[in-house]
Amino acid sequence: MMGCVEDAHAEDPVTLTVYADARSGIASPVDLGAPGDSPGDLFVFDQPLLNEARENIGSNSGFCVRTLPGQFNECQWTLTMADGTITVTGRESDTGTSYIPISGGTGAYLGVRGMLATTPNGDRTFTQVLTLIKAK
């Protein structure tokens, strides 16, 4: 899985599937403003990032700001792996699949663009499918 972006030709998309595991690591809500789910509340996390075999390959860490209670957050997080990082930034829904743009990368992922589709699995894990395009 690591370095697969290096093998891609410019403009040929590469798909990676990873899993964020919110059952362990840090997952801390920060209740700001009105008590309960309200605009401006924060959620801060640093959780294991797993490959398709469910082996630990790094971390999934970042934060979300509640924008529409019960429905949406504006989030930024970084997938950290041995060969580099991928940062995503965008709107995440409480339910269903959210499509979030890649905002940058380092190491093997330097210059990549694309999208992350993240889907909650109902067990505090998330399936995250990255569609990566290597810059020319």
Side-chain angles (χ1 to χ4, degrees), residues 17-18 24-25 30 33 35 46 59 62-63 71 73 82 90 95 98 103 110 124 127 130 132:
T17 300
V18 294
S24 60
V30 180
D46 192 318
S59 66
F63 62 90
Q71 294 184 40
N73 290 299
T95 60
S98 298
S103 55
L110 184 65
R124 298 194 60 209
T127 300
L130 292 146
L132 307 170

Side-chain angles (χ1 to χ4, degrees), residues 1-10 14 83 106-110 112 134:
M1 183 184 109
M2 301 303 135
C4 68
V5 176
E6 296 297 321
D7 300 331
H9 299 294
V14 171
D83 60 348
T106 67
Y109 308 99
L110 184 65
V112 359
K134 184 73 173 175

Side-chain angles (χ1 to χ4, degrees), residues 19-81:
Y19 301 90
D21 188 354
R23 297 172 298 186
S24 60
I26 298 166
S28 299
V30 180
D31 193 6
L32 302 172
D37 189 10
S38 61
D41 287 350
L42 299 174
F43 185 74
V44 180
F45 56 94
D46 192 318
Q47 304 155 344
L49 184 65
L50 311 174
N51 63 14
E52 290 188 88
R54 305 299 171 122
E55 300 164 328
N56 191 323
I57 58 166
S59 66
N60 178 59
S61 56
F63 62 90
C64 295
V65 178
R66 178 57 97 189
T67 54
L68 187 58
Q71 294 184 40
F72 297 105
N73 290 299
E74 188 67 26
C75 301
Q76 177 180 320
W77 70 89
T78 301
L79 307 173
T80 302
M81 298 163 280

